[in-house]
């Protein structure tokens, strides 16, 4: 099954590349953005790896989140957009995928809770994040809470930590200032994927 999911991820990665290209109107973000836009199989291989790892750790119900999350991370990094056309349909898809786990009620509660947390952060400092991040938080909350509330906590704070570390790296390398803006969604998703793959 893992090999099959890796193959599915490889195929989906090609579509994710095309999807990102269709939204690609914003600036490239530092060197990582250049790598993502470089010709080759980078996006496809990353998608395959994420899908395979998630399938290996927790099975098929979590693969849709892996694929959708990868697509959102790539689009957000390249364009600073988290399109509603991807994010909003992901909610019913996630709900259907997680239903066989028997943890859908907790997943829904986790989605609502993390949306509320990020909604409050957005209300306090709207210049620090966009509403797209708030909507993405609900998907992350669903996936993490379906595992456990401990996983929910790690995923919730993991993204914040990774984003802060990246901002600090920009400051220390003098490639950014305290006012430099960068897309936060990829760090939220990286925190979530790390949580899933490590099994917290």
């Amino acid at each position: 099954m893992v090999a099959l999911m890796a193959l599915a991820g490889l195929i989906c990665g090609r579509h994710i590349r095309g999807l990102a290209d269709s939204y690609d109107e914003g600036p490239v973000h530092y060197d990582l953005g250049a790598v993502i836009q470089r010709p080759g199989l980078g996006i496809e291989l990353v998608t395959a790896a994420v899908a395979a790892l998630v399938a290996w750790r927790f099975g098929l119900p979590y693969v849709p989140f892996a694929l959708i999350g990868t697509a959102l991370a790539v689009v957000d990094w390249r364009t600073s957009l988290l399109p509603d056309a991807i994010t909003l349909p992901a909610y019913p898809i996630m709900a259907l995928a997680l239903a066989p786990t028997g943890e859908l009620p907790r997943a829904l509660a986790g989605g609502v809770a993390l949306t509320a947390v990020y909604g409050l952060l957005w209300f306090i400092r709207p210049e620090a994040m966009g509403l797209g991040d708030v909507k993405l938080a609900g998907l992350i909350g669903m996936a993490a809470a379906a595992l456990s509330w401990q996983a929910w906590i790690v995923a919730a704070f993991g993204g914040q930590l990774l984003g802060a570390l990246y901002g600090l790296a920009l400051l220390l390398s003098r490639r950014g200032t305290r006012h430099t803006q960068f897309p936060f969604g990829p760090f939220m998703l990286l925190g979530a994927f790390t949580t899933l793959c490590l099994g917290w």
Side-chain angles (χ1 to χ4, degrees):
M1 181 183 70
V2 173
L4 185 61
M5 290 302 99
L7 178 59
L10 196 66
I11 295 170
C12 289
R14 175 58 61 179
H15 293 286
I16 289 172
R17 180 185 293 276
L19 183 65
D21 288 342
S22 71
Y23 284 103
D24 196 3
E25 299 175 353
V28 175
H29 295 281
Y30 308 106
D31 290 346
L32 182 56
V35 171
I36 289 176
Q37 288 193 327
R38 192 173 298 157
L41 294 174
I43 294 174
E44 291 82 350
L45 293 176
V46 168
T47 307
V50 172
L53 280 171
V54 170
W56 172 60
R57 292 294 294 167
F58 298 105
L60 291 176
Y62 293 89
V63 172
F65 174 69
L67 298 176
I68 294 168
T70 303
L72 286 170
V74 172
V75 171
D76 193 24
W77 190 264
R78 287 174 56 164
T79 68
S80 294
L81 292 173
L82 286 167
D84 286 348
I86 303 175
T87 306
L88 298 184
Y91 278 93
I93 293 172
M94 288 276 296
L96 289 172
L98 293 173
T101 67
E103 303 295 348
L104 183 57
R106 189 171 66 201
L108 293 175
V112 170
L114 198 56
T115 300
V117 170
Y118 271 79
L120 180 60
L121 293 174
W122 173 80
F123 181 78
I124 294 172
R125 290 191 62 196
E127 72 279 3
M129 67 173 60
L131 276 175
D133 298 319
V134 179
K135 298 168 190 175
L136 173 60
L139 298 176
I140 292 173
M142 287 179 66
L147 292 178
S148 67
W149 285 114
Q150 179 183 354
W152 184 92
I153 293 171
V154 174
F157 289 99
Q160 295 283 338
L161 176 61
L162 292 171
L165 290 175
Y166 180 75
L168 180 61
L170 290 179
L171 282 174
L172 294 176
S173 64
R174 297 184 179 181
R175 297 166 67 189
T177 69
R178 292 186 297 110
H179 304 291
T180 298
Q181 295 186 345
F182 55 87
F184 193 57
F187 298 99
M188 295 170 62
L189 286 159
L190 182 58
F193 289 150
T194 302
T195 300
L196 292 177
C197 292
L198 293 180
W200 279 316

